[in-house]
Amino acid sequence: MKEKLTNYIRAAYPVVYITTFEEPRIESDLKAVCDNLGYGLRCWSITEGLLDVTTGAAQDLQDPIDVLASIPEMPEKTVVLLRDFHAFLGDETQPINPLIARTIRDLVRTLKTRQQCLVICAPLLRLPDELEREIVVIEHELPGRSDLGAVIDGIVESAGLPMIVGDEKERLLDSCMGLTTSEAENALALSFVEVAGLSPAIVARQKAEAVRKGQLLEIYENPGSLDDVGGLDALKAWLLQRQDAFGSRAKEFGLPSPKGLLMVGLPGCGKSLCAKATAAAWERPLLRLDCGRLFGGLVGESERNLRRVIQVAEAVAPCVLWIDEIEKGLSGSSSSSSTDGGTSARVLGSMLSWMEEKTAAVFVIATANDVSALPPELLRKGRFDETFFVDLPSEEERQKILEIHINKRGRDPKLFDLVSLAKACDQFSGAEIESAIVAGMFAAFESGQELETSHVGEAIKETVPLAQTAREKISSLRDWAKTRARPAATLVGKSLGRKLEPLS
Ligand code: ATP
């Protein structure tokens, strides 16, 4: 950030807009940059007026127009930091005050020639059309390991704790990555209050809450295990082969960082389950992006949302970023210039270029049910390392899924006739098998009996699987997958009387 600020100030950019929740970090960076360049620094806020940071002199200027008007009187080579100035730049309900817009535009030339720079620091970006060309926007990066290390050291010192070093510090730093400095400080302080020490688990819990507040991402702390996934052996083997791929040994060996995986398939067949289990197997945090939420109503909001998602994912890296139902967010991209002013297409473009160029260890798992809605650019070779097709489970897989879910409900699978149950639930998805077990449990409970094969068998008989009502959809998905995806299981496709041939 310091380097960027230095360059913009030296290049006489008149107005720089920084979006951040971390005012103090910006202020200290800006102070360091100004000291280094020999510039003066003045800070303004509606509550405190204008303060000359170098001399400590304060001016009682509350009105934003008065502050702007006072800038030409300030010495050359002065940076003026305007806190929360977004509040005066209009929003979707009301345009910018024309006097403020005109004053800033009039100021621009003076600012350039007098080497003065306005730095707007605000948590939200509000860029009125009138000023779009005059303002350069910088997104404040989340703090890195050294910034957060300083926060940890500060808390250790003020709490009188013994120094934290080595692996312990690294683990604590991992848990802090993705938080702002003040969020990290709060989480660490809370940990101290709760357990009289600094616990990575408590910080991770607070991080999950902080990320959830942003409404775009969710962090899963205990996402499950690959043992919870019945079948899908080819997919599991592929994932296990890459579990150490972000480590230093893999790098030394010359392996490229894995980019990501696209899982396409029928609903309820375990795509989400696999995404969660991958993060658990790799011992990496899982971030889930709800693709539909990326799209905001305001101009540029969707692109900004994507940038925020990328920022958090890169800060939390190494991690797994799961983009659930990717088709829902991006389906409009091909026709979007006519339907949404090109927003989906732009978001897709930004996402694809990030996926291709990313150097951070973020493994993207995208899941999709409807391939017809997937933009062709996403499927082009090189975007994902692999595309897997997740079909209905084979008989053998159904047996395994029955075993997993009976076991999960505290029953011994050996006491059940899994072979006949697996035969009976032909064409069922994993989710439908699970529901049949639950329905069987309700029936057993109602009749005051312990759960038996017959209860599950009855529930299976009463279920009409989705596969029966969506034959055409399934068959076209299988046709699509034949040439474009690898089967996630080596024994797939017997269900609808059709054998899928694995691609070589
Ligand atoms: P959707 O596309 O509708 O989100 P999905 O393919 O992501 O479906 P999941 O959400 O993973 O399906 O499956 C729903 C639930 O069904 C899982 O939480 C799990 O309990 C059960 N299930 C599905 N497939 C399997 C499987 N292969 N092994 C064990 N459980 C499974």
Side-chain angles (χ1 to χ4, degrees):
M1 176 53 74
K2 279 191 203 150
E3 195 184 324
K4 266 190 199 159
L5 282 170
T6 303
N7 292 345
Y8 283 128
I9 293 170
R10 288 187 57 202
Y13 271 66
V15 190
V16 177
Y17 194 133
I18 306 173
T19 48
T20 182
F21 284 97
E22 294 195 274
E23 232 172 49
R25 202 151 65 88
I26 285 294
E27 286 178 20
S28 89
D29 282 357
L30 202 53
K31 169 93 176 61
V33 169
C34 288
D35 287 349
N36 191 32
L37 293 177
Y39 274 56
L41 174 63
R42 306 210 178 178
C43 294
W44 177 85
S45 76
I46 192 165
T47 49
E48 291 173 4
L50 188 67
L51 177 78
D52 184 331
V53 176
T54 329
T55 63
Q59 264 179 290
D60 193 19
L61 282 181
Q62 252 82 30
D63 189 323
I65 295 177
D66 291 345
V67 182
L68 295 175
S70 74
I71 290 171
E73 325 273 273
M74 293 179 193
E76 290 189 358
K77 292 196 170 184
T78 297
V79 173
V80 184
L81 175 72
L82 303 173
R83 298 190 191 108
D84 284 342
F85 209 75
H86 66 293
F88 307 103
L89 297 176
D91 57 25
E92 62 274 25
T93 57
Q94 62 175 55
I96 182 173
N97 173 347
L99 195 54
I100 292 190
R102 188 65 249 174
T103 311
I104 294 180
R105 294 185 63 192
D106 287 343
L107 260 180
V108 164
R109 197 169 315 140
T110 327
L111 289 167
K112 280 186 193 164
T113 53
R114 306 192 70 234
Q115 292 175 279
Q116 292 174 320
C117 178
L118 281 186
V119 177
I120 296 171
C121 172
L124 302 175
L125 181 64
R126 295 213 178 122
L127 207 50
D129 292 348
E130 299 88 321
L131 298 177
E132 207 182 87
R133 295 293 168 107
E134 320 291 358
I135 298 180
V136 62
V137 179
I138 312 181
E139 215 133 333
H140 196 198
E141 282 144 28
L142 284 165
R145 290 180 96 79
S146 67
D147 296 310
L148 293 168
V151 174
I152 294 174
D153 294 344
I155 292 272
V156 164
E157 198 186 319
S158 59
L161 290 168
M163 280 295 284
I164 298 180
V165 286
D167 282 353
E168 199 189 344
K169 182 144 182 198
E170 291 306 309
R171 272 199 305 279
L172 203 51
L173 275 170
D174 284 345
S175 64
C176 289
M177 289 300 285
L179 292 174
T180 63
T181 44
S182 64
E183 283 170 339
E185 201 176 277
N186 290 342
L188 290 163
L190 186 70
S191 163
F192 180 68
V193 169
E194 282 186 20
V195 297
L198 303 186
S199 145
I202 294 179
V203 176
R205 186 192 73 202
Q206 292 308 106
K207 177 159 76 183
E209 274 177 27
V211 167
R212 205 171 297 130
K213 260 196 303 188
Q215 296 190 356
L216 293 165
L217 287 169
E218 210 175 324
I219 293 195
Y220 285 76
E221 281 184 66
N222 297 307
S225 134
L226 275 182
D227 294 337
D228 298 337
V229 184
L232 309 183
D233 51 350
L235 172 58
K236 286 198 281 191
W238 190 92
L239 290 167
L240 283 173
Q241 202 176 48
R242 283 155 185 79
Q243 70 179 344
D244 293 324
F246 286 132
S248 51
R249 252 174 18 94
K251 212 174 257 170
E252 279 159 26
F253 194 76
L255 288 177
S257 261
K259 279 187 201 161
L261 163 73
L262 175 63
M263 270 188 266
V264 174
L266 308 176
C269 286
K271 298 182 296 298
S272 313
L273 194 65
C274 278
K276 295 180 202 159
T278 305
W282 291 9
E283 297 180 3
R284 303 292 182 201
L286 175 70
L287 295 169
R288 175 178 173 273
L289 167 66
D290 181 342
C291 218
R293 290 209 169 174
L294 269 185
F295 295 89
L298 293 178
V299 177
E301 199 177 330
S302 315
E303 290 91 329
R304 268 197 307 282
N305 284 342
L306 179 65
R307 281 201 298 277
R308 271 193 10 229
V309 166
I310 291 174
Q311 213 188 31
V312 173
E314 293 196 334
V316 174
C319 66
V320 175
L321 174 63
W322 165 29
I323 309 181
D324 196 15
E325 302 194 88
I326 192 167
E327 74 272 33
K328 292 212 170 133
L330 303 176
S331 56
S333 57
S334 48
S335 55
S336 64
S337 43
S338 53
T339 55
D340 69 357
T343 302
S344 317
R346 280 198 304 276
V347 168
L348 173 66
S350 313
M351 189 184 279
L352 293 178
S353 44
W354 172 69
M355 279 171 60
E356 227 161 79
E357 290 156 18
K358 75 182 153 65
T359 49
V362 179
F363 184 74
V364 177
I365 297 189
T367 51
N369 291 333
D370 182 3
V371 282
S372 65
L374 283 180
E377 306 92 293
L378 189 76
L379 300 167
R380 210 171 288 150
K381 263 267 169 266
R383 306 295 195 204
F384 292 100
D385 299 315
E386 194 57 270
T387 301
F388 276 99
F389 173 56
V390 184
D391 203 342
L392 290 172
S394 66
E395 189 177 320
E396 203 176 308
E397 288 180 306
R398 294 196 297 274
Q399 247 189 64
K400 189 73 201 148
I401 297 171
L402 282 159
E403 188 186 320
I404 289 171
H405 286 288
I406 289 174
N407 193 32
K408 252 191 172 173
R409 276 142 189 103
R411 269 61 180 196
D412 182 355
K414 287 200 205 81
L415 303 177
F416 291 77
D417 182 355
L418 298 181
V419 175
S420 68
L421 287 176
K423 277 196 197 323
C425 61
D426 186 26
Q427 300 185 28
F428 277 45
S429 68
E432 286 163 341
I433 295 174
E434 185 184 9
S435 299
I437 293 171
V438 174
M441 284 176 74
F442 273 108
F445 182 68
E446 190 192 21
S447 57
Q449 293 170 320
E450 186 34 69
L451 180 71
E452 288 172 6
T453 302
S454 59
H455 298 116
V456 183
E458 276 308 307
I460 289 174
K461 264 192 223 153
E462 281 164 21
T463 308
V464 180
L466 184 73
Q468 272 182 18
T469 50
R471 266 174 190 275
E472 272 180 30
K473 215 171 157 213
I474 293 176
S475 125
S476 74
L477 193 57
R478 285 179 172 160
D479 283 343
W480 179 92
K482 259 189 192 169
T483 51
R484 294 175 185 86
R486 249 174 89 170
T490 44
L491 293 163
V492 288
K494 292 198 187 118
S495 336
L496 293 180
R498 161 174 223 153
K499 179 115 180 104
L500 258 185
E501 272 137 46
L503 294 177
S504 55

